């Protein structure tokens, strides 16, 4: 089922959007702060983000830039009270796929979401592959040699990042930033823990530890 992340600090508006999307068959997650929204968006578990710009802790344009800098191509529809031409240009040039000003008609938001989801489905291949490893980005399923492997959302996001960068060494800091977001403890061992989880599920010999540098998914 298609998952939409709603990043909106207004309790009234967030509840309204979430309720409307669920009524039309989407699953939703509602983040009320920019930090939470960015961390969720970086997991790769959502098919589209509806993003407010006027967030209390992190401006939506900064969230968007961080998301794109991490290599995430998830469609983003900005939903904001900022309606000037300058704001629209800044949002779209910053990586947004669409821009809708408040007040808005829910049916228009729904139409724009469906359009962006259709564009993404047409533009992005469904499968990422590295040797016998395969990730289906539409169904969020993983397989090894044709056998399905059960991954959590965070494990899937970590493996997706490794596959997209296969053959290249990624530092712990790069993986933390890409999968867990900017609000992380650089001293955390969470990357090492999740690498162990992945190795158990996809094969220990597929992910190489490069001493003093990080991890690399072997290309074959």
């Amino acid at each position: 089922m298609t998952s939409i992340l709603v990043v909106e600090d207004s309790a009234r508006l967030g509840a309204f959007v979430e309720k409307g999307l669920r009524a039309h068959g989407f699953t939703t997650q509602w983040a009320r702060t920019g930090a939470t929204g960015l961390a969720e968006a970086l997991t790769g578990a959502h098919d589209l983000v509806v993003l407010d710009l006027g967030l209390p802790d992190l401006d939506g344009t900064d969230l968007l830039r961080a998301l794109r800098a991490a290599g995430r191509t998830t469609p983003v529809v900005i939903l904001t009270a900022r309606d000037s031409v300058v704001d629209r240009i800044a949002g779209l040039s910053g990586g947004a796929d669409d821009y809708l000003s408040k007040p808005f008609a829910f049916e228009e938001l729904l139409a724009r979401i469906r359009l962006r989801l259709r564009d993404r489905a047409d533009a992005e291949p469904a499968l990422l592959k590295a040797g016998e490893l395969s990730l289906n980005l539409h169904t969020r399923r993983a397989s090894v040699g044709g056998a399905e492997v059960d991954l959590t959302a965070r494990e899937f996001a970590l493996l997706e990042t490794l596959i997209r960068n296969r053959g290249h060494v990624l530092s712990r800091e790069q993986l933390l930033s890409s999968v867990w977001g900017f609000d992380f403890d650089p001293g955390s061992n969470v990357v090492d823990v999740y690498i162990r989880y992945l190795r158990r599920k996809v094969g220990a010999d597929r992910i190489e530890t490069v001493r003093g540098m990080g991890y690399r998914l072997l290309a074959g």
Side-chain angles (χ1 to χ4, degrees):
M1 191 175 288
T2 303
S3 174
I4 296 180
L5 174 64
V6 179
V7 187
E8 171 61 63
D9 65 314
S10 166
R12 181 170 174 272
L13 184 56
F16 168 74
V17 172
E18 190 174 44
K19 181 179 179 181
L21 291 173
R22 287 182 176 177
H24 284 83
F26 297 103
T27 60
T28 62
Q29 177 132 2
W30 178 13
R32 294 164 174 80
T33 67
T36 304
L38 180 57
E40 270 299 322
L42 286 170
T43 66
H46 306 285
D47 300 289
L48 183 140
V49 179
V50 175
L51 175 65
D52 182 23
L53 296 183
L55 300 167
D57 60 328
L58 176 68
D59 192 85
T61 55
D62 293 329
L63 187 160
L64 181 58
R65 278 195 291 268
L67 184 65
R68 297 304 187 226
R72 291 295 179 192
T73 59
T74 309
V76 174
V77 176
I78 290 177
L79 182 63
T80 181
R82 301 178 190 172
D83 60 357
S84 73
V85 173
V86 172
D87 287 322
R88 285 176 180 272
I89 292 172
L92 293 170
S93 62
D97 297 88
D98 212 334
Y99 195 108
L100 186 59
S101 300
K102 303 173 185 175
F104 65 98
F106 180 79
E107 290 301 323
E108 182 179 1
L109 173 63
L110 186 63
R112 290 176 185 241
I113 287 173
R114 286 173 170 161
L115 176 62
R116 297 310 163 196
L117 289 171
R118 187 166 65 248
D119 288 346
R120 180 177 175 83
D122 291 341
E124 183 175 86
L127 293 178
L128 284 180
K129 301 192 77 173
E132 293 190 331
L133 282 179
S134 179
L135 291 185
N136 189 311
L137 302 179
H138 295 172
T139 64
R140 313 301 295 178
R141 294 182 185 277
S143 63
V144 180
E148 190 169 311
V149 179
D150 185 26
L151 299 181
T152 66
R154 204 69 85 168
E155 289 168 351
F156 191 98
L158 179 57
L159 186 55
E160 180 185 347
T161 301
L162 289 168
I163 287 180
R164 289 186 184 277
N165 297 276
R166 59 187 175 278
H168 299 282
V169 179
L170 296 176
S171 69
R172 288 172 177 81
E173 290 74 18
Q174 286 175 307
L175 292 170
L176 277 169
S177 177
S178 177
V179 179
W180 281 267
F182 76 97
D183 189 21
F184 60 79
D185 175 6
S188 171
N189 71 339
V190 67
V191 169
D192 308 282
V193 170
Y194 272 80
I195 289 289
R196 287 201 298 271
Y197 292 162
L198 276 183
R199 281 174 167 160
R200 290 174 194 159
K201 294 183 177 183
V202 306
D205 58 342
R206 300 180 192 280
I207 303 173
E208 180 185 13
T209 300
V210 182
R211 190 174 180 83
M213 298 179 66
Y215 295 101
R216 170 170 54 206
L217 184 76
L218 300 181

